[in-house]
Amino acid sequence: MISGLDKLDPMKYPEINQLQALQKQYGLKVSVRNAAFDRRIFADFFINNKSWALYLDDEYNDFKEEKQLLAIFLVLRALEDYKEAADFTDWCQQNGLDASSSDWLTYYKQLAQSYAEIEDTIGTIDSFINSLDYQLRSGAFSELVSL
């Protein structure tokens, strides 16, 4: 059986090939802990036998556990968003969260540790697909969704 990845032109979307290579190199996998609520999915992100519990913002309802490469992209994008936020308040604002919630503050602090551990394991965290393609749902991201 030929998968969508097998039919992918490696020259057209090298970003997807980089994501796939990272997945294979580190045995990346994502599994859902519980169903989405308010567009957020609580999932486990595995690198070989180690895992981290992370919230994913699935604004566009893209997450499907059977589409592992897309799920991995969403995890890496969530980690990039964390790193790019100036502070907790900024991160909450970017994610539409209540900054007065002690639960989100606790999670944010835990995310700092998770981010550092994941980065120590796989190197610089990079979802490979640029933010504009993701926001416009075009280019490499559109191709990733269709696989």
Side-chain angles (χ1 to χ4, degrees):
M1 180 176 165
I2 297 175
S3 74
L5 287 171
D6 294 331
K7 296 185 279 184
L8 183 65
D9 177 357
M11 302 308 280
K12 187 170 183 182
Y13 295 111
E15 307 96 317
I16 295 174
N17 294 318
Q18 291 172 301
L19 191 58
Q20 185 180 29
L22 187 70
Q23 177 190 27
K24 287 180 180 179
Q25 181 178 359
Y26 293 101
L28 305 183
K29 183 181 177 211
V30 181
S31 66
V32 174
R33 274 195 173 202
N34 65 357
F37 62 96
D38 190 29
R39 83 180 199 210
R40 284 168 200 44
I41 296 168
F42 195 43
D44 287 312
F45 178 53
F46 294 89
I47 300 175
N48 295 318
N49 294 325
K50 185 154 171 118
S51 69
W52 297 265
L54 302 169
Y55 281 100
L56 309 178
D57 183 359
D58 191 20
E59 180 179 2
Y60 302 107
N61 201 26
D62 293 316
F63 185 91
K64 292 177 183 40
E65 196 167 353
E66 65 274 8
K67 290 190 167 200
Q68 279 294 296
L69 207 53
L70 178 58
I72 292 165
F73 165 80
L74 291 171
V75 165
L76 295 173
R77 174 63 61 186
L79 292 168
E80 286 175 330
D81 289 345
Y82 160 78
K83 186 67 172 179
E84 291 169 5
D87 56 23
F88 172 67
T89 305
D90 184 41
W91 178 79
C92 284
Q93 185 175 19
Q94 289 177 14
N95 288 283
L97 302 172
D98 179 4
S100 67
S101 166
S102 61
D103 291 338
W104 285 122
L105 180 58
T106 300
Y107 173 74
Y108 181 82
K109 289 177 181 178
Q110 177 266 320
L111 192 53
Q113 180 179 346
S114 297
Y115 185 96
E117 291 173 359
I118 293 167
E119 188 174 49
D120 284 347
T121 305
I122 66 172
T124 301
I125 294 172
D126 187 347
S127 65
F128 300 106
I129 296 173
N130 71 57
S131 295
L132 191 58
D133 275 0
Y134 177 52
Q135 291 170 353
L136 297 177
R137 308 183 62 70
S138 63
F141 181 76
S142 177
E143 184 69 20
L144 181 61
V145 170
S146 73
L147 296 175

